[in-house]
């Protein structure tokens, strides 16, 4: 039971960390005077991409794990460490400029750009054999919720 709780807590923390970039960009995007319908659409789109990208990563990770065995586990661990270092370093950046508009192709570009890091996390989790449904559900839900919160706060602060 403790093992399941530990895995859920770890995946939940990863989901929160991965959703924070969508939250921070959503703060700025919320100042565009978005309507409620647009906010819902943006959150769902970003959440969907935070399901698709780690799913592709997990499929790739499982393939690599089957082909390369134990070496793939070390590679996956190294990827997670590098991603963590990159996330910490990027949190110290001063500028957060976004010229992407939250409609049409701009929305897709926004969703892809904030979900690229979830591909590498999915790759590592696929190598380690994490439970796919749990990971994808938590990643998508956390990101959608954090995006909505960021957009609403940005809209209020505007």
């Amino acid at each position: 039971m403790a093992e399941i709780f530990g895995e859920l807590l770890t995946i939940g923390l990863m989901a929160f960390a991965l959703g924070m970039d969508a939250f921070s960009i959503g703060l700025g995007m919320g100042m565009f005077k978005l309507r409620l319908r647009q906010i819902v659409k943006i959150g769902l789109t970003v959440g969907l991409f935070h399901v698709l990208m780690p799913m592709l990563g997990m499929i790739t990770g499982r393939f690599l794990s089957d082909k390369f065995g134990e070496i793939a586990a070390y590679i996956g661990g190294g990827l997670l460490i590098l991603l963590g270092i990159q996330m910490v370093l990027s949190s110290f950046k001063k500028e957060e400029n976004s010229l992407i508009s939250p409609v049409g192709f701009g929305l897709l570009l926004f969703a892809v750009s904030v979900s690229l890091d979830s591909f590498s996390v999915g790759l590592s989790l696929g190598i380690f054999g994490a439970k796919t449904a749990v990971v994808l559900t938590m990643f998508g839900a956390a990101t959608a919720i954090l995006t909505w919160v960021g957009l609403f706060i940005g809209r209020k602060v505007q």
Side-chain angles (χ1 to χ4, degrees):
M1 183 67 168
E3 189 176 304
I4 293 171
F5 177 74
E7 185 175 358
L8 287 176
L9 179 64
T10 302
I11 292 170
L13 290 172
M14 284 180 176
F16 181 77
L18 289 171
M20 285 307 290
D21 56 350
F23 169 79
S24 65
I25 295 174
L27 284 172
M29 210 176 262
M31 295 183 190
F32 285 143
K33 296 184 181 180
L34 300 172
R35 288 181 277 139
L36 183 59
R37 181 180 221 162
Q38 289 173 303
I39 289 174
V40 170
K41 186 177 178 181
I42 292 168
L44 289 175
T45 303
V46 174
L48 176 68
F49 273 86
H50 267 76
V51 169
L52 293 175
M53 294 300 277
M55 181 176 67
L56 292 173
M58 290 181 87
I59 291 169
T60 306
R62 291 225 170 98
F63 172 77
L64 291 174
S65 181
D66 290 344
K67 294 293 180 195
F68 298 108
E70 190 175 316
I71 295 171
Y74 291 116
I75 292 170
L79 279 173
L80 279 177
I81 290 170
L82 288 174
L83 184 65
I85 291 169
Q86 185 270 333
M87 290 175 99
V88 168
L89 292 176
S90 69
S91 71
F92 293 112
K93 283 186 181 176
K94 296 282 184 206
E95 56 190 59
E96 182 83 29
N97 294 337
S98 177
L99 300 175
I100 302 171
S101 68
V103 292
F105 183 71
L107 175 57
L108 291 178
L109 188 61
F110 166 65
V112 168
S113 69
V114 298
S115 64
L116 282 176
D117 52 353
S118 63
F119 175 82
S120 56
V121 171
L123 182 69
S124 299
L125 292 174
I127 290 171
F128 291 125
K131 293 169 182 56
T132 305
V134 173
V135 168
L136 299 180
T137 302
M138 291 180 82
F139 280 17
T143 301
I145 291 168
L146 286 168
T147 302
W148 288 327
V149 169
L151 289 167
F152 279 121
I153 291 173
R155 184 175 156 182
K156 290 284 184 197
V157 172
Q158 167 199 3

